[in-house]
């Protein structure tokens, strides 16, 4: 049956997009997931991918033209199928179905198939392919129901949950008991609490930990592997889903209608999520992967509050989605509006974000600042109220980047010495070698511009760190060695006290190695 390819909802406020280019031509077949065309907003480019295999029967918009969101871009058919004039007219006469607002606590099984949904963000499609997740099974929590990375990872966590069935909904009687006698339940041992949650419908993967006094009063609970809740942490929600390695420290107070966390979302001790309106129908907290929320942060998700991947929210910061004081009818300000923080943003100590604010990708807000407007991507804002100061990052030459990498290696060696390790550092031109003496022998870390510049040597553990590496150099990597490319940045192999310590060391300096599923459990650092 012939169908229309429409402009997906891209999560922006723009009514139109530019069709930048077609990747397939009329009459050409394509595979499921193949990028059919590229569209551009004022801020970014997006690939529109095929929801199923087929043929591009007719392009309705030429490259270079502007087109409204949800408008038709092309007519698609199945291989061998035709679309006559009557079918074409009927397709074009049909009105697009507006994305329905997300119903509170709707079961995941009620989600529309991906082909009928508003779409998925390009990064979410990529992540779905990496994890083997079928987008048709993913419920989107983005604007208009758009599927985002956190949604894909939460769906993956549900699929990884061991020995469970259903969508994680708890028995209503069990939920009522938790709300009535939660304190008694919270005092139980972690393993006993986890078993009771599983028996009553929760989807919990392996190695989940619920500390002494930890209590999750939710109606739907899905947790990925190694999710961690510290002592006396409480969660009150209708829906709570979290990917692998999600972490809450001690004494966190979490209250929000819907919460979705990506992989390795880390909340330190004494974080408060909630406040007025936290159980309103529109209240939701969506946090991407590999981010950090510091001690005594207050997040107020009365409306949608979204943090992207690798966002850092420093201690004492406050993010508000509503504010009020005197009567709005008397002229006092009163606002309820979502807050959005894009990937790789940093929010300083004690900073405040007011309702309706946005931070573009890679933006920085300085300590003690008050944000009342939108921050463009890559800019540094500061002050009360915050204003544009300069670019958030400065360009680096290849030579300067390599010099900084060498300084990181030297500082890593110094930190190991300060912790009582016997460390030797040898400099051979552009190469560095760090040798750490341990009970099981010498652990060796070498650094050079290219991986091939590092000679092989016998050691209890070998970590080879380079700015870049070719496929041939990686293929020739000695068995048992670990390779780290800092320019990418990526790790090949991994495991061992020296490798893990170096990975944690560079992570704290903003160098986050792919693949990202890593949590430092202690060791030489």
């Amino acid at each position: 049956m012939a169908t229309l390819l429409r402009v997906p909802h891209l999560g922006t406020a723009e009514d139109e997009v530019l069709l930048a280019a077609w990747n397939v031509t009329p009459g050409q077949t394509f595979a499921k997931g193949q990028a059919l065309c590229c569209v551009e907003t004022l801020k970014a480019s997006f690939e529109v991918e095929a929801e199923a295999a087929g043929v591009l029967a007719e392009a309705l918009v030429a490259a270079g033209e502007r087109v409204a969101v949800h408008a038709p871009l092309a007519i698609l058919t199945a291989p061998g199928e035709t679309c006559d004039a009557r079918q074409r007219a009927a397709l074009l006469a049909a009105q697009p179905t507006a994305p329905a607002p997300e119903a509170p606590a709707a079961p995941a099984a009620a989600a529309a198939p991906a082909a009928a949904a508003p779409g998925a963000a390009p990064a979410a499609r990529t992540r779905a392919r990496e994890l083997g997740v079928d987008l048709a099974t993913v419920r989107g929590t983005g604007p208009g129901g758009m599927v985002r990375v956190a949604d894909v990872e939460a769906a993956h966590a549900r699929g990884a949950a061991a020995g469970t069935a259903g969508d994680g909904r708890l028995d209503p009687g069990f939920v009522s008991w938790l709300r009535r006698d939660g304190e008694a339940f919270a005092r139980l041992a972690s393993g006993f609490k986890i078993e009771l949650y599983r028996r009553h419908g929760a989807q919990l993967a392996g190695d989940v930990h619920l500390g002494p006094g930890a209590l999750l009063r939710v109606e739907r609970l899905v947790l990925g592997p190694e999710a961690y809740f510290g002592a006396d942490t409480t969660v009150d929600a209708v829906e709570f889903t979290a990917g692998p390695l999600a972490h809450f420290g001690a004494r966190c107070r979490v209250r929000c209608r819907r919460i979705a966390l990506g992989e390795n979302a880390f909340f330190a001790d004494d974080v408060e999520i909630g406040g007025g309106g936290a159980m309103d129908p529109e209240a939701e907290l969506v946090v991407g992967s590999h981010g950090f929320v510091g001690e005594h942060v207050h997040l107020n998700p009365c409306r949608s509050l979204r943090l992207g991947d690798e966002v850092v929210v420093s201690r004492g910061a406050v993010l508000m989605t509503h504010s009020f004081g005197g009567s709005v009818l008397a002229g006092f300000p009163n606002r309820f509006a979502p807050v959005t923080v894009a990937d790789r943003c940093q929010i300083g100590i004690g900073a405040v974000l007011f309702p309706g604010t946005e931070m573009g990708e890679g933006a920085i807000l300085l300590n003690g600042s008050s944000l009342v407007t939108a921050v463009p991507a890559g800019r540094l804002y500061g002050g009360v109220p915050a204003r544009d100061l300069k670019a958030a990052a400065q360009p680096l030459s290849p030579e300067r980047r390599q010099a900084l990498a060498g300084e990181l290696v030297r500082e890593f060696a110094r930190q190991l010495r300060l912790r009582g390790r016997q460390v030797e550092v040898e400099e051979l031109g552009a190469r560095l070698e760090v040798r750490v003496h341990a009970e099981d022998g010498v652990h060796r870390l070498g650094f050079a511009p290219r991986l091939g510049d590092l000679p092989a040597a016998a050691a209890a553990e070998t970590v080879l760190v380079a700015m870049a590496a070719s496929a041939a150099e990686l293929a020739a990597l000695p068995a048992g060695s670990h390779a780290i490319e800092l320019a990418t940045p990526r790790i090949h192999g991994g495991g061992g006290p020296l490798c893990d310590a170096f990975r944690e060391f560079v992570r704290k300096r903003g160098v986050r190695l792919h693949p990202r599923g890593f949590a430092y459990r202690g060791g030489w650092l």
Side-chain angles (χ1 to χ4, degrees):
M1 179 179 177
T3 59
L4 286 178
L5 175 70
R6 295 184 181 274
V7 178
H9 183 84
L10 301 173
T12 73
E14 297 174 46
D15 297 325
E16 289 186 338
V17 299
L18 173 71
L19 178 61
W22 281 103
N23 297 332
V24 294
T25 57
Q28 182 178 344
T29 60
F30 52 81
K32 180 179 179 180
Q34 183 175 341
L36 302 180
C37 62
C38 178
V39 298
E40 294 181 356
T41 68
L42 293 176
K43 295 182 178 179
S45 298
F46 299 88
E47 289 182 335
V48 180
E49 300 178 357
E51 300 289 351
V55 177
L56 181 68
E58 180 185 356
L60 302 173
V61 179
E65 292 185 10
R66 298 194 66 81
V67 60
V69 174
H70 301 308
L73 292 170
I75 297 176
L76 310 179
T77 63
E81 183 186 20
T82 60
C83 180
D84 59 27
R86 182 182 59 81
Q87 291 173 310
R88 182 182 188 277
L91 278 174
L92 296 179
Q95 296 297 315
T97 302
E102 186 180 357
R125 295 182 182 277
T126 300
R127 188 61 172 151
R129 285 195 293 270
E130 292 174 350
L131 297 176
V133 173
D134 183 357
L135 282 173
T137 67
V138 181
R139 177 186 180 199
T141 61
M146 183 174 67
V147 175
R148 303 189 65 185
V149 170
D151 304 321
V152 172
E153 292 180 338
H156 177 66
R158 292 194 295 272
T164 59
D167 68 348
R169 294 198 175 275
L170 298 175
D171 298 335
F174 180 65
V175 175
S176 296
W177 179 72
L178 288 178
R179 290 173 177 162
R180 185 180 64 251
D181 298 317
E183 290 186 6
F185 178 84
R187 290 194 294 269
L188 298 175
S190 176
F192 195 17
K193 287 188 282 191
I194 290 167
E195 180 61 25
L196 287 174
Y197 277 121
R198 284 184 175 138
R199 287 186 182 183
H200 290 88
Q203 283 198 341
L204 307 183
D207 300 321
V208 171
H209 175 81
L210 299 176
L215 173 63
L216 314 179
R217 289 179 291 231
V218 301
E219 296 178 19
R220 178 170 175 263
L221 179 61
V222 179
L223 300 178
E226 299 186 60
Y228 180 94
F229 296 82
D232 299 319
T233 283
T234 59
V235 176
D236 289 280
V238 174
E239 293 194 17
F240 185 94
T241 62
L245 299 170
H247 177 105
F248 282 88
R251 300 175 301 281
C252 292
R253 295 291 178 266
V254 181
R255 187 170 181 268
C256 180
R257 187 175 190 86
R258 288 183 297 276
I259 302 171
L261 309 178
E263 180 179 3
N264 201 22
F266 189 98
F267 295 78
D269 296 344
D270 300 300
V271 171
E272 182 181 32
I273 299 171
M279 301 303 287
D280 283 1
E282 297 175 279
E284 66 170 3
L285 174 67
V286 179
V287 179
S289 299
H290 312 293
F292 174 84
V293 177
E295 294 89 343
H296 302 290
V297 164
H298 176 75
L299 305 178
N300 165 238
C302 168
R303 296 294 184 266
S304 178
L305 198 165
R306 295 174 174 272
L307 307 180
D309 294 342
E310 299 181 23
V311 169
V312 173
V313 183
S314 302
R315 63 180 301 142
V318 177
L319 281 67
M320 300 293 298
T321 63
H322 84 280
S323 61
F324 61 88
S327 170
V328 65
L329 298 180
F332 290 95
N334 185 309
R335 192 175 191 194
F336 291 72
V339 170
T340 302
V341 180
D343 297 345
R344 289 175 288 282
C345 285
Q346 298 179 43
I347 297 172
I349 297 170
V352 179
L353 276 70
F354 284 88
T357 52
E358 297 181 12
M359 293 183 65
E361 183 173 348
I364 296 177
L365 182 65
L366 293 180
N367 297 346
S369 299
S370 293
L371 186 64
V372 295
T373 184
V375 179
R379 300 301 298 177
L380 184 147
Y381 270 52
V384 181
R387 63 186 189 279
D388 194 352
L389 300 177
K390 62 178 183 178
Q394 302 301 317
L396 297 174
S397 67
E399 296 76 16
R400 180 56 180 158
R401 188 188 301 266
Q402 181 177 321
L404 288 173
E407 291 175 16
L408 283 176
V409 173
R410 295 183 189 92
E411 177 60 16
F412 173 65
R414 190 178 78 89
Q415 289 298 323
L416 291 180
R417 283 199 192 98
L418 291 174
R419 287 160 173 79
R421 295 283 163 186
Q422 182 182 348
V423 180
E424 300 169 354
V425 178
E426 184 178 3
E427 302 206 20
L428 303 167
R431 286 199 295 116
L432 286 169
E433 181 162 312
V434 177
R435 293 183 292 273
V436 185
H437 296 265
E439 293 180 357
D440 59 344
V442 176
H443 295 245
R444 172 177 168 264
L445 184 147
F447 168 74
R450 301 286 313 184
L451 190 65
D453 299 333
L454 292 167
E461 178 188 3
T462 299
V463 184
L464 304 179
V465 181
M467 297 305 298
S470 67
E473 289 170 337
L474 290 172
L477 189 67
S481 298
H482 318 301
I484 293 175
E485 297 178 83
L486 292 178
T488 311
R490 179 168 290 276
I491 185 169
H492 305 268
L498 181 62
C499 184
D500 288 350
F502 185 74
R503 187 172 187 178
E504 174 67 3
F505 175 83
V506 296
R507 184 194 67 81
K508 288 184 175 179
R509 285 143 184 87
V511 183
R512 298 174 178 90
L513 304 177
H514 292 268
R516 302 290 178 83
F518 171 77
Y520 192 59
R521 302 302 189 191
W524 288 2
L525 290 182

